[in-house]
Amino acid sequence: MDDKAVQRIGAGALGARPLRYYDFFMAAFVAILLLSNLIGAAKLSTLGGVTFGAGILFFPLGYVLGDLLTEVYGYARARRCVWAGFAAMLFMALMSWVVVALPPAAGWPDQAAYEAVFGSTWRIVFASLIAFWAGELANSFVLARMKLLTQGRHLWMRTIGSTIVGQGVDSLLFYPLAFYGDWTNAQVATVMVTNWAMKVGWEAILTPVTYAVVGFVKRREGLDIYDEGTNFTPFRASIPQG
């Protein structure tokens, strides 16, 4: 990375400075999140004898974006994206329930298909919302704190380390909340650990991609944010104004 083209600044000093790509990355982050739950969550697939939820195909894009938002724009702006995603998921869940609950027209044959695809139980919706919110914020927090501790070095260590923690939180919340009592304890534990390991593995494999994308965006924005003095509370969506 060309250090002359990138300015290191604290998150609080960014203020209202125009950002070239932040809004686009927020929109992409929310879109991928919704798509992974809308068209990926309900589909099980088997390849090479391994069965998995199709939503995992969206994970690499979502976590590269999540890492980029924190690494380039800082924790507060990444937190804002998480809250935007949480609100979008909540709205999607509400509207899915309304659409499924509407009485079908006489002769319309697809009500059962709609219920199968969009009729998630309240328990799975609740588990998904809580796990996403907690896991993404944990990922962003660890990445931002490790950046301060390493003084911006070893990006690979930060992205993989934050994914280990963030996906650990996500999996520990989602699977027990969604399936405890419906699945055996062994099934819950097996799927929880397997999916966590697969996602951490994806993050490790995509490290070169993360380096390339983060480096490109930092150069284009001309900045590198460090969360010095940042309020790391998860319970706000505001960003520092300088």
Side-chain angles (χ1 to χ4, degrees):
M1 184 183 301
D2 183 1
D3 293 336
K4 295 180 180 179
V6 178
Q7 179 186 8
R8 170 177 171 166
I9 63 175
L14 184 60
R17 171 176 170 171
L19 300 170
R20 302 176 71 171
Y21 301 116
Y22 173 70
D23 291 341
F24 294 107
F25 286 127
M26 175 188 278
F29 179 78
V30 174
I32 290 169
L33 173 66
L34 294 180
L35 288 170
S36 67
N37 283 273
L38 186 65
I39 65 176
K43 174 74 179 283
L44 284 178
S45 183
T46 300
L47 287 174
V50 178
T51 300
F52 56 91
I56 200 170
L57 297 176
F58 294 91
F59 168 80
L61 294 173
Y63 256 70
V64 168
L65 280 175
D67 289 343
L68 181 147
L69 285 164
T70 304
E71 176 68 20
V72 179
Y73 299 107
Y75 174 83
R77 285 168 176 78
R79 177 181 59 197
R80 190 177 183 88
C81 292
V82 173
W83 276 108
F86 181 86
M89 284 181 65
L90 188 61
F91 179 73
M92 184 184 73
L94 175 62
M95 294 310 298
S96 295
W97 176 80
V98 170
V99 169
V100 170
L102 286 173
W108 188 68
D110 297 323
Q111 179 65 17
Y114 255 69
E115 291 176 359
V117 175
F118 299 111
S120 295
T121 66
W122 68 266
R123 183 178 176 183
I124 292 177
V125 170
F126 172 76
S128 181
L129 284 167
I130 296 301
F132 159 76
W133 179 82
E136 285 287 347
L137 286 174
N139 180 82
S140 185
F141 173 79
V142 171
L143 187 64
R145 296 295 295 176
M146 288 182 70
K147 185 173 184 179
L148 290 174
L149 291 172
T150 62
Q151 288 297 296
R153 298 185 298 272
H154 311 308
L155 176 59
W156 64 270
M157 184 189 301
R158 302 200 301 278
T159 58
I160 296 174
S162 63
T163 300
I164 289 172
V165 175
Q167 278 303 307
V169 171
D170 184 294
S171 297
L172 282 170
L173 287 172
F174 176 72
Y175 291 102
L177 286 175
F179 302 113
Y180 180 76
D182 293 334
W183 295 359
T184 67
N185 292 345
Q187 287 174 323
V188 170
T190 298
V191 174
M192 181 170 61
V193 172
T194 300
N195 277 269
W196 171 80
M198 289 177 67
K199 290 176 178 180
V200 173
W202 262 120
E203 185 67 62
I205 291 169
L206 287 170
T207 295
V209 177
T210 304
Y211 265 84
V213 174
V214 165
F216 172 79
V217 177
K218 283 182 179 179
R219 289 190 296 271
R220 296 292 290 174
E221 295 283 14
L223 54 82
D224 189 10
I225 301 298
Y226 284 74
D227 282 291
E228 296 157 346
T230 294
N231 183 345
F232 284 101
T233 177
F235 299 106
R236 64 190 304 176
S238 61
I239 55 178
Q241 295 300 316

